[in-house]
Amino acid sequence: MKYLDEYRDSEACRKYALAIARITTRPWTIMEICGGQTHSIVKYGIDELLPKGITLVHGPGCPVCVTPVELIDKAIEIASNPKAIFCSFGDMLRVPGTKDDLLSVKARGGDVRIVYSPLDALKVAKDNPSREVVFFAVGFETTAPANAMAVFQAKASGVKNFSILVSHVLVPPAMEAILSSPGTLVQGFLAAGHVCTVMGYEEYGPIAKKYGVPIVVTGFEPLDIFQGIYMTVLQLEEGRAEVENQYSRSVKKEGNAPAQKIISDVFEVVPRKWRGVGEIPRSGLGLKKEFRDYDAELKFGVAGMKVEESTECISGVIRHGLKKPHQCPACGVRCTPEHPLGATMVSSEGACAAYYRYRKFADKDKAAREF
Ligand code: SF4
């Protein structure tokens, strides 16, 4: 299959839905890791075509959604500094911190710029040698190579007025945290295809074995997701817990070696806080000692900042697969994309935003929401 439409072929999707129904003999709960997959599932109504016993729960894989409120407050503090030019991908600008967001800083006259790549931010630094340029380096293993490359190039070319505010998280420790959390419902995973394009999927073998869960590396189009669910359900029904690759047109078992090399040259594994979840050991990336001059937290003296998260937003529970967005009392009422209470309502990949956009909440549904 070469063209996008073929991955959205409704007849082929229907056949997969029937095939899943044929092999399903009991209820199973499967978590898709990535927000892009959640978006496709809700947009195309994939979950509504599955047999009743198959429940999809929505995992932690949206980088905007997992960035802790503490990092947003640090970004706001740095962006409010008149010496700084703060560069970020656009979707981070509306993520609420404890009191504010980056868009409000920009409205107050702060120099906050939307860029499309960390290398664009490096160019801003070269063009503005008298200013300090900071790039908000968020994301999973997918965005880490480009962020590492920007820091590597800054050092190699002697640019000293560039730094990154790092909020990189890693998928496998999050999967382990979900599987070992009390009351977890997750029995199988659709792993994130783009993360595996970079990292491969050798890391997942020990997780599948230790927790007895099938893990299927899966793409993002409707047919990818149907096939990934079929492969996962087949394993569950046959009592297998293996790692399989549905997304073979993009993912190799060993991943992308040059991308992994630049990550390990510049970053080291560190503990990281996840929004709504708390700290997970060895679940993030931080700059290695030799690149600390490019660490915005150290440069701007915000490393020690600590803040408490709001208790109203239950996105952490949603990302553990224990509840769905429509079960949040605030969803579509006090929390909307225009006035988000949590990051999962801001990002286009956030589960709450996907439910809000594609599953309209009628008033009677709001009243009936279980909680
Ligand atoms: S609907 Fe809003 S408040 Fe509720 S979990 Fe989602 S982001 Fe948080």
Side-chain angles (χ1 to χ4, degrees), residues 212-225:
V213 292
I215 300 174
V216 176
V217 179
T218 303
F220 303 89
E221 292 299 328
L223 210 43
D224 289 323
I225 293 169

Side-chain angles (χ1 to χ4, degrees), residues 312-315 318 328 330-331 335 341-345 352:
E312 183 169 19
C313 176
I314 61 158
S315 61
I318 291 169
C328 171
C331 192
C335 181
L341 291 178
T344 38
M345 187 56 93
C352 300

Side-chain angles (χ1 to χ4, degrees), residues 299-362:
K299 206 176 234 186
F300 286 84
V302 295
M305 256 173 88
K306 297 265 179 273
V307 297
E308 292 301 320
E309 294 195 22
S310 147
T311 49
E312 183 169 19
C313 176
I314 61 158
S315 61
V317 180
I318 291 169
R319 285 198 301 273
H320 267 85
L322 299 171
K323 282 190 185 288
K324 294 202 176 196
H326 66 278
Q327 293 172 302
C328 171
C331 192
V333 186
R334 288 183 307 290
C335 181
T336 63
E338 291 73 34
H339 300 286
L341 291 178
T344 38
M345 187 56 93
V346 177
S347 164
S348 59
E349 291 196 356
C352 300
Y355 270 66
Y356 183 85
R357 183 161 177 201
Y358 298 114
R359 303 272 156 89
K360 300 291 178 216
F361 298 120

